[in-house]
Each structure stands twice: as C-alpha cells, then as structure tokens.
Amino acid sequence: MIFVVLPCYNEAPNLLKLIPKIDDALKGQDYQIIAVNDGSSDRTGEVLLQLSEEYPIRILTHQRNMGGLQAALKTGGLSEAVRLGKEGDVVITMDSDDTHDPIHISQMLEKIEDGADIVIASRYVKGGKQVNVPVHRVFLSWGGINKVLGLFSGVPAKDLTSGYRAYKWECLRRTFDALGERLVTSQGFEISVELLVKVFYFGNCSRIEEVPLYLDYGRKEGGSKMNLRKTIMGYLKLIPEIRKWKTGKGDLQ
C-alpha cells in the first residue's frame, strides 16, 4: 500500500488539479490518499468529499485550524498512515497546493524498492530546478540554508527543507514508537526538517536518496501561507535541538 499524506488548508482549486495527477501517477498500484482538512474556510471540505467519490481518499477533518502542517502531519496524516500500514508499505508526504508534481512519485518508489529508507524530491541535485519563486521564498530557497542544516544534522541530503518525500513505513513506525507525542514539536514550516532528522536518527533510517524535483510555484493558486520572519527563526531554533537529537537521544525537552 502507498499512502499519500496531504495537509490541506484552503486548497480547494489546487486539489481539483492535484488529485487526478496523483491517480495518474499511481495507476495500477494499491494506494490511499490521506487528506487532512485543517479547519479550511474555503470549499476544501466539499471538494475532498466530491473527489472521494472517484478516488481513494480518506478525509480527516479538524473543525478549526489546529496549527497547519504540524497538526496535519502529527495528529493526522502520518499517525493515520502508521496506524493503517504494515511492513513494506510506503508513505509519501507532499504539498496540496499543486507545486509538487506527482510525476516524480515513480522515481521515488523505485529508489525505495532498491533499498532506500527515505527518498527526497530535491531541487538541488542534478536535474532539479525551481521556477517562478516568490520574492519572500528566495532566501529560504537558497541552497545555503540546506547546507547549514545538513552540516549540523549530519543528514546526507542536499534538500532537507523539501517536504516532498517517500518514507518506508517501518521508518515512521520506529520513530513513532521511540518518540510518541514528541514526534514533532515545531509549529511552522521547519517541521519538515525536524521530521526528517528525527526519522534519520530515531527511526534508524540512514539510507537517504534524492531524485530531481522540478518545482514551479507558478502552478499554485492562491496566496502563500508562509511568514518569512517566523520561518527563518524556526529554522534557526532547530539547530540547538538538532544537537540534542544527535548527542543525547533521550533528551528531547
């Protein structure tokens, strides 16, 4: 089984485009989309219900916004995928704003089949590229941030901030078993880095590979939900925490 976890907050028009693409990418495979509607105020809930009549979508709904990505991953999609899955399954995380093209999923699954524990769709490997990047994302999209995070974390990847990934189910299961409610504690976009580093160390999943990602922000409908200053501070605050996870796995407070 392949689980595709989609955190959704006000993504109605983007989901109408994205879900059929996911289905095309996974034709002939046993898959389920776990969509977490995190208190959307637009037609996201209606659109998901409509799409679930045609596609295998499991909808988890927060009646109010619970904190965006953190709540959607921790208390929603990831925990549900771990609960439903079994050894040999794959869990894919991706954005629901249609900037992550499902065309890359087949390459990611091939890497998993060849023995990778985690596969990242990366902007910074050969063949990777990003276009139409909004001004507020230029700094965060700079590869130097990923180099700093990679240096402190020891995670062998070039694009730690990409949330488009494939995980072996076993990696997430072991990380959940080790950390429980402490799986992720960040509140912002830095959660993707926190999750990757913790799965690397606590899930004992050291084989990480990357496939090239063509990321086009021009495909997204609607404004950005990113607060630049808050996101930068979030990444900086992660650095001392990463040191704890590396040197004292039991000390996560």
Side-chain angles (χ1 to χ4, degrees):
M1 175 70 80
I2 300 164
F3 295 97
V4 181
V5 177
L6 291 180
C8 306
Y9 180 64
N10 293 343
E11 299 290 2
N14 295 312
L15 289 166
L16 286 168
K17 297 182 293 182
L18 177 64
I19 299 297
K21 293 177 187 177
I22 293 174
D23 183 70
D24 285 341
L26 292 171
K27 283 290 187 187
Q29 305 211 53
D30 192 10
Y31 81 92
Q32 183 170 67
I33 295 169
I34 301 177
V36 185
N37 181 13
D38 190 31
S40 296
S41 58
D42 69 349
R43 294 184 59 251
T44 291
E46 296 174 47
V47 167
L48 287 172
L49 282 173
Q50 172 190 331
L51 291 168
S52 68
E53 296 177 2
E54 184 176 356
Y55 304 103
I57 303 175
R58 188 180 189 88
I59 305 170
L60 305 179
T61 302
H62 297 159
Q63 295 303 319
R64 61 183 179 85
N65 186 265
M66 300 291 290
L69 195 59
Q70 195 252 19
L73 290 179
K74 179 180 177 181
T75 64
L78 284 182
S79 58
E80 188 74 354
V82 169
R83 184 181 71 83
L84 296 172
K86 63 184 184 304
E87 186 173 348
D89 290 345
V90 178
V91 180
I92 295 171
T93 59
M94 61 189 301
D95 290 348
S96 56
D97 61 5
D98 197 37
T99 57
H100 290 165
D101 194 333
I103 196 172
H104 301 294
I105 291 177
S106 60
Q107 284 182 284
M108 299 166 80
L109 293 176
E110 287 176 7
K111 294 284 188 182
I112 292 286
E113 290 174 4
D114 288 341
D117 296 315
I118 306 167
V119 182
I120 301 171
S122 171
R123 296 160 289 181
Y124 305 122
V125 295
K126 185 177 180 180
K129 188 178 182 180
Q130 56 185 355
V131 295
N132 298 315
V133 182
V135 173
H136 70 277
R137 284 185 179 263
V138 170
F139 179 76
L140 291 174
S141 298
W142 177 49
I145 289 181
N146 281 281
K147 290 178 182 178
V148 171
L149 292 169
L151 178 64
F152 279 99
S153 68
V155 174
K158 293 184 178 180
D159 200 345
L160 280 72
T161 58
S162 171
Y164 191 2
R165 303 177 188 145
Y167 298 88
K168 280 185 176 178
W169 177 87
E170 300 92 312
C171 291
L172 293 173
R173 173 77 272 174
R174 287 193 293 267
T175 310
F176 264 93
D177 288 345
L179 301 179
E181 290 300 310
R182 299 172 298 175
L183 175 72
V184 285
T185 58
S186 301
Q187 298 295 324
F189 286 86
E190 70 275 9
I191 188 176
S192 292
V193 177
E194 178 185 1
L195 178 64
L196 177 64
V197 175
K198 284 182 172 177
V199 173
F200 179 72
Y201 284 107
F202 297 93
N204 296 316
C205 291
S206 58
R207 183 172 171 184
I208 299 178
E209 298 197 25
E210 295 176 273
V211 299
L213 169 64
Y214 182 87
L215 185 64
D216 184 357
Y217 281 102
R219 290 165 36 178
K220 172 183 171 64
E221 291 190 33
S224 174
K225 302 175 181 70
M226 177 180 286
N227 180 306
L228 179 60
R229 181 179 180 278
K230 184 177 180 181
T231 302
I232 293 173
M233 292 304 297
Y235 283 130
L236 294 177
K237 287 179 181 178
L238 269 187
I239 292 175
E241 296 302 313
I242 288 172
R243 287 179 170 176
K244 290 182 184 179
W245 306 333
K246 287 176 63 178
T247 61
K249 294 183 180 181
D251 183 11
L252 293 172
Q253 302 302 318

